[in-house]
Amino acid sequence: MILMTPEERIDRIRGDHWIAFDRATIVLNRLTSLMEMPQQSRMPGLMVYGSSGIGKTMIAKRMASKYPTQYNAELGATKTPILLVQAPPAPDERRFYQHILATIGAPMWGRHTVSELEVRALSHLRDMDLRMLMIDEVHNLLAGSYREQRRFLNMLRFLANDLCASLVVFGVNEALEAVRGDDQLARRLDEHYLPLWEDDVEFSRLIQTLIAAMALEQRSGLTVGSLRAILKVTGGITSRVFIMIKSLAIDAIETGEERITDEAVQAWQPVWTKHAWSIPRQSVTAFG
């Protein structure tokens, strides 16, 4: 029995909340295995890559939420097992350290050398007992020269070594070759590719999972033709699939249909091509 009002259900659908699906669970299980591994001087890591909008950032945020910051009142210390930060727009060590310090609530004002920022950041991260450093949008390093890219990758490897923490990076396909360019880092990072969705059982399960999460009062029961239409409209991009199913579910609630029909799928117009400006930014970027 659905206890929420239609308005409350629509607000929930529009919100940014986790919806588990098989592909994401596989990556999360790999990351959890890294977290459970005993610390050593050369911790293994992972690179998760795929097309923009395929779900990388969504997975990263979910993983970070599973290991929240905790304050130990007896010790008077704050422990942060996982730190998720976004790579700067270009491979800039100074901006990266500044971003880390700002993220953990320890910004350094004024002019400081890269070495000073590095020492301060490492000191805080050690105190936090960091076990995993996750870098999102690592493909931003492609905005720099080859030398700048190498220096940035060396910095990431140094951080992981010094902290005895697992390094996990998320990026688009093009970043893969850049990361592979650092042989030592590439040997440390396993690779996990997130492909575009295809017309198969896995995609069918994804749609079923999403529709079930919409908590509609009637069973939708879409045909194979509708599934293929969804795949065609979205291009197999996870963020677009989420947007489409959410939009169809909201329409179903507002009209009283309470199910997603084949007719609704066929009539649906892609918002990212006609009205992209009207989509809340967080609703699009949450899937990465």
Side-chain angles (χ1 to χ4, degrees):
M1 180 178 179
I2 298 176
L3 302 178
M4 294 186 293
T5 66
E7 292 75 17
E8 290 172 334
R9 291 160 60 203
I10 289 173
D11 285 343
R12 184 177 184 278
I13 290 172
R14 286 175 173 159
D16 188 11
H17 57 277
W18 174 252
I19 300 175
F21 55 97
D22 294 346
R23 182 180 290 186
T25 300
I26 291 172
V27 180
L28 289 171
N29 287 341
R30 293 193 67 174
L31 295 174
T32 301
S33 295
L34 289 175
M35 284 294 293
E36 295 174 349
M37 186 172 295
Q39 282 188 296
Q40 50 192 281
S41 58
R42 295 291 185 270
M43 290 292 290
L46 184 67
M47 177 173 185
V48 182
Y49 68 101
S51 300
S52 178
I54 204 62
K56 303 179 295 296
T57 299
M58 177 177 62
I59 293 171
K61 289 182 176 180
R62 177 60 177 177
M63 184 63 188
S65 71
K66 293 177 62 178
Y67 296 87
T69 296
Q70 295 183 337
Y71 177 73
N72 188 316
E74 295 182 0
L75 299 177
T78 299
K79 304 301 180 183
T80 303
I82 293 180
L83 181 64
L84 171 60
V85 295
Q86 183 173 309
D92 185 324
E93 297 166 82
R94 178 186 302 277
R95 292 184 66 175
F96 184 68
Y97 282 126
Q98 289 173 333
H99 188 43
I100 286 179
L101 290 167
T103 300
I104 63 178
M108 289 183 70
W109 307 112
R111 186 71 177 175
H112 298 277
T113 66
V114 173
S115 296
E116 289 172 336
L117 293 169
E118 174 190 292
V119 170
R120 179 77 181 274
L122 284 171
S123 176
H124 282 293
L125 295 177
R126 291 191 196 99
D127 290 342
M128 291 160 50
D129 284 347
L130 190 72
R131 297 294 306 276
M132 179 178 289
L133 177 61
M134 296 197 299
I135 314 297
D136 197 13
E137 308 286 347
V138 74
H139 49 264
N140 287 346
L141 64 88
L142 296 175
S145 66
Y146 177 82
R147 182 177 180 180
E148 290 171 334
Q149 292 178 33
R150 299 280 72 74
R151 290 186 60 177
F152 193 80
L153 292 172
N154 285 339
M155 177 197 64
L156 294 183
R157 177 159 43 84
F158 166 75
L159 285 174
N161 290 345
D162 193 271
L163 297 168
C164 295
S166 291
L167 176 65
V168 179
V169 298
F170 300 83
V172 298
N173 298 327
E174 291 77 9
L176 181 61
E177 291 304 318
V179 172
R180 285 176 175 174
D182 186 307
D183 291 337
Q184 295 185 57
L185 186 61
R187 285 195 294 268
R188 191 89 53 82
L189 300 182
D190 288 338
E191 297 171 3
H192 191 105
Y193 175 54
L194 292 173
L196 296 173
W197 296 94
E198 298 181 351
D199 182 11
D200 55 18
V201 174
E202 185 184 22
F203 183 68
S204 177
R205 285 201 299 266
L206 171 68
I207 299 302
Q208 293 172 21
T209 299
L210 293 180
I211 293 177
M214 300 299 103
L216 298 173
E217 294 179 348
Q218 303 295 327
R219 182 176 178 274
S220 295
L222 297 177
T223 64
V224 173
S226 288
L227 295 180
R228 289 174 177 167
I230 294 171
L231 187 63
K232 182 178 180 180
V233 168
T234 62
I237 298 173
T238 309
S239 61
R240 291 184 173 184
V241 174
F242 273 60
I243 290 170
M244 182 173 181
I245 296 302
K246 284 186 173 187
S247 176
L248 288 167
I250 290 172
D251 288 344
I253 294 173
E254 290 178 337
T255 61
E257 182 73 36
E258 287 296 342
R259 65 191 181 103
I260 298 175
T261 65
D262 294 321
E263 293 76 14
V265 170
Q266 297 298 328
W268 192 80
Q269 294 295 316
V271 291
W272 48 83
T273 57
K274 296 187 64 176
H275 304 292
W277 55 268
S278 66
I279 306 173
R281 182 173 177 80
Q282 66 178 20
S283 297
V284 179
T285 58
F287 304 97

